[in-house]
Every structure is written in C-alpha cells, then in structure tokens.
Amino acid sequence: MTQAASATVRKQIVVAARVEEAFFVFTQRLGDFKPPEHNLLAAPIAETVFEPRVGGHIYDRGTDGSECHWARVLVYDPPHRVVFSWDIGPTWQLETDPDNASEVEVRFVEEDAGRTRVQLEHRHIDRHGPGWEAVADGIGNDRGWPLYLARYAALFDEGR
C-alpha cells in the first residue's frame, strides 16, 4: 500500500513561534492560510471561522452570506492539541453522516524557545467509504495539507 493509499496522512512542520502563538494562528487565522480555491460554496469565501470549543464548527462564510460547515471541533486543548472532523467526502461534497467523516489531529510541540513543531495527522480516511483513496490523495499531495502548512508557516515570517 502506498502512502497515498493509506487511511492516514501525516505531515509536520516547524514554525518560528512559541507554542501558544502557533496554536492561536492555526485555529484563529485558518482563513489566512486556507487556499481560497478550496471552496464548496457557490460564492467566494469572505471568511473561514473556527469556533474555539468542543462542539464548535469550522466553516466558510461566502460573500453572499451563505455558509458551508465542513468540520466539527472534537477536541480543543490549547495550546497543545486540536482535533476536528473532516466532513468532506470523496466527491468533494459535504458528508452529513458523522460516522463517514475522517479526523484531523494537530499537535503543537515546543522545540525550543520560539520554535514549535506542528504535527498533523489526518486519520480514518477510509471511513469516507468507496472512493476514500481520492480523499487521501487530495489531502496528501502538494495541493492538500503540505500547501496549507507551507502557507501557515509563511504567516510567521511576515514582519520578522
């Protein structure tokens, strides 16, 4: 089984930030690094909202006021860990059955003063059912989590 066909995708990056800042930027500035073309709405995205609590949602709000709730916050443990569902299926449409959603866990580990390792694990991708491999391929390739993490890391270089 190749990495792309695995039911788990793991990525990590080290950012030039204290663990508290790294956590805050990931959860509260997600819209600043989420590629605008990653959009399930009919309208352009005006903002991406991360509700900072267990039971909260991650959603995009369009310029027309429409909303697309594409994740549920399952664990919120600042500044060390966040887990959220991935409610987007193999056809890149919303998945309404929580049993058919995968999970994303992001851990924030202090490397040394001013540097944090961000470890992302997108797991249980096979829960999406037939065609789950397309989800694994999409999130694991250069236009998926590696793109998100590179754009995330670049936020820490601004103004330094």
Side-chain angles (χ1 to χ4, degrees):
M1 182 178 285
T2 66
Q3 164 105 11
S6 174
T8 301
V9 170
R10 291 180 183 88
K11 303 293 177 187
Q12 63 179 346
I13 194 165
V14 175
V15 296
R18 293 174 30 106
V19 69
E20 295 84 2
E21 181 185 9
F23 183 91
F24 176 84
V25 169
F26 193 94
T27 58
Q28 298 306 299
R29 292 187 59 195
L30 179 59
D32 291 343
F33 62 91
K34 180 180 178 282
E37 65 273 15
H38 291 192
N39 182 6
L40 300 179
L41 295 167
I45 297 172
E47 68 176 331
T48 298
V49 176
F50 188 114
E51 297 176 330
R53 66 182 184 283
V54 172
H57 289 92
I58 304 172
Y59 61 94
D60 296 324
R61 181 176 293 126
T63 54
D64 62 357
S66 61
E67 293 182 354
C68 176
H69 293 243
W70 53 269
R72 292 165 284 114
V73 179
L74 306 173
V75 175
Y76 189 76
D77 181 23
H80 304 291
R81 178 173 170 245
V82 65
V83 180
F84 53 91
S85 65
W86 184 264
D87 301 339
I88 303 170
T91 60
W92 302 106
Q93 299 295 318
L94 287 180
E95 175 55 64
T96 58
D97 184 348
D99 291 338
N100 294 338
S102 53
E103 292 178 358
V104 179
E105 178 173 4
V106 186
R107 291 187 173 270
F108 301 84
V109 180
E110 185 175 24
E111 287 276 297
D112 54 43
R115 290 174 24 102
T116 300
R117 179 170 303 279
V118 180
Q119 302 169 320
L120 184 145
E121 179 180 272
H122 193 145
R123 59 184 175 236
H124 308 302
I125 302 168
D126 53 342
R127 288 181 184 167
H128 290 288
W132 67 266
E133 296 90 346
V135 176
D137 289 342
I139 61 173
N141 74 31
D142 289 344
R143 295 189 51 181
W145 286 122
L147 176 60
Y148 279 69
L149 292 176
R151 290 173 54 113
Y152 166 74
L155 293 176
F156 298 98
D157 296 333
E158 294 174 357
R160 292 189 193 248

